[in-house]
Amino acid sequence: MKLKKEKQRVIIKIGSSSLTSSHGEISRKKLEKLVSDIVILKDLGHEVVLVSSGAVACGYRKLGCLERPHTLPEVQAAASIGQGLLMEAYSELFLSHGYVAGQILITRTDLLDEERKTNVHNTLNVLLDRGIIPIVNENDTVTIDDLKFGDNDTLSAKVATLINANSLIILSDIDGLFNADPTRNPNALLLKSVTKITPEIEACAGSAGTSIGTGGMKSKIEAVKIAMASGISTFLGNAKHQNIIVDAVYGNAKGTYFSKESLSTSFTSYKKEKRCLVTMNN
């Protein structure tokens, strides 16, 4: 694997299903793998922003719920418990590698109001300039449905455009975008490179998510559209693969690359004034 020398800004979006066990609790093993992959990028000199789901999934059992709650007050209460547990785990793991993590909770309103949007932008830049790893999530404890991003795929794309990222990397429990549902069609083909979001591409996305998370391939394609409109390349891949984040940044990963440019151009010739962003899937 040929590694680029110039510093990049990387945002990683990771969803609930990639962070939690089948029981909805934090999976230490999954967290350790994610943190280890991010540490590799940091050790290579890159900047990293992590957009992380998982607060509600991590907290609802501690709230006393056997299943993910559906009422807004219970969801918000579960998020208030889970967000603390999630950040505690992240902080501990990153500190064990010598890196500090910072928490940023955002609502859609924060990015609609120019002054608050500027504050988010400035905070992210200060953290990154000081070598801190910002961990971003929607502020589920106070956000109502009418003011929600809807999922962290959209949030990650918005953050990517806000800090002028080179690329957005969304990791989930599927290898990328297929031309059919791979869980139902064994002959479904992985689309390795997409240069334009057409109605046919959107039709491939479907709409299914998981019982743990809130997103699905459809929400990821919507995020891709936001990123591509700002000239940001996006990668969709499976969080379980070894070194998926580093491989995605350097164009060697199994998954789907979305870029208006060719793969060889968009993933080996980053502009020096831009930085690279990765996100992991729901």
Side-chain angles (χ1 to χ4, degrees):
M1 180 171 63
K2 184 178 180 180
L3 302 180
K4 298 185 292 294
K5 294 182 180 179
E6 65 269 22
K7 180 173 70 175
Q8 305 295 327
R9 180 170 284 179
V10 182
I11 289 191
I12 303 159
K13 187 271 169 178
I14 185 164
S16 300
S17 62
S18 298
L19 291 175
T20 56
S21 70
S22 60
H23 302 295
E25 298 174 328
I26 291 177
S27 168
R28 185 77 176 190
K29 183 177 180 180
K30 290 181 179 180
L31 282 179
E32 288 176 349
K33 178 186 179 301
L34 170 62
V35 168
S36 294
D37 286 352
I38 292 174
V39 166
I40 292 174
L41 284 184
K42 290 289 294 179
D43 288 346
L44 288 169
H46 300 296
E47 297 175 332
V48 177
V49 174
L50 174 62
V51 178
S52 176
S53 302
V56 176
C58 292
Y60 73 80
R61 284 186 174 269
K62 298 292 189 299
L63 186 64
C65 300
L66 296 179
E67 299 179 345
R68 185 185 177 96
H70 298 289
T71 67
L72 181 59
E74 286 182 319
V75 168
Q76 292 176 324
S80 73
I81 297 170
Q83 189 63 42
L85 294 173
L86 198 58
M87 278 305 302
E88 180 181 13
Y90 276 134
S91 295
E92 177 189 341
L93 288 171
F94 279 120
L95 281 173
S96 70
H97 293 280
Y99 293 108
V100 175
Q103 178 177 252
I104 300 180
L105 298 178
I106 300 175
T107 65
R108 188 161 65 93
T109 307
D110 294 325
L111 299 187
L112 293 175
D113 180 90
E114 283 303 316
E115 183 175 0
R116 290 159 72 174
K117 181 179 179 180
T118 298
N119 288 338
V120 174
H121 173 271
N122 292 342
T123 299
L124 283 167
N125 278 324
V126 169
L127 290 172
L128 291 170
D129 289 344
R130 300 292 177 87
I132 311 300
I133 301 168
I135 299 177
V136 180
N137 195 4
E138 185 158 15
N139 193 349
D140 292 318
T141 60
V142 299
T143 304
I144 60 176
D145 287 343
D146 291 343
L147 296 178
K148 289 180 69 67
F149 288 101
D151 54 75
N152 275 348
D153 298 318
T154 301
L155 173 58
S156 68
K158 294 288 188 179
V159 172
T161 61
L162 180 64
I163 62 172
N164 195 30
N166 283 98
S167 65
L168 172 64
I169 300 178
I170 300 177
L171 301 179
S172 67
D173 52 5
I174 192 169
D175 284 338
L177 179 64
F178 289 77
N179 65 350
D181 186 345
T183 64
R184 299 181 180 180
N185 185 349
N187 296 316
L189 297 176
L190 176 65
L191 304 179
K192 296 181 179 180
S193 180
V194 176
T195 58
K196 184 178 181 181
I197 305 299
T198 63
E200 291 77 15
I201 292 296
E202 292 190 85
C204 291
S207 59
T210 70
S211 61
I212 297 295
T214 58
M217 188 56 68
K218 185 175 181 180
S219 73
K220 290 164 182 53
I221 295 303
E222 291 301 314
V224 169
K225 289 165 66 175
I226 293 171
M228 289 183 72
S230 297
I232 299 169
S233 300
T234 305
F235 172 82
L236 301 183
N238 198 321
K240 73 177 183 180
H241 293 314
Q242 194 68 26
N243 299 323
I244 184 68
I245 293 174
V246 178
D247 286 345
V249 170
Y250 292 107
N252 300 316
K254 178 181 180 181
T256 305
Y257 290 90
F258 297 83
S259 177
K260 292 181 179 180
E261 302 174 342
S262 66
L263 178 63
S264 61
T265 300
S266 60
F267 279 87
T268 58
S269 300
Y270 289 117
K271 294 180 180 179
K272 289 186 178 180
E273 69 271 18
K274 280 194 173 184
R275 307 171 190 181
C276 177
L277 184 78
V278 182
T279 67
M280 250 179 148
N281 154 52
N282 235 330

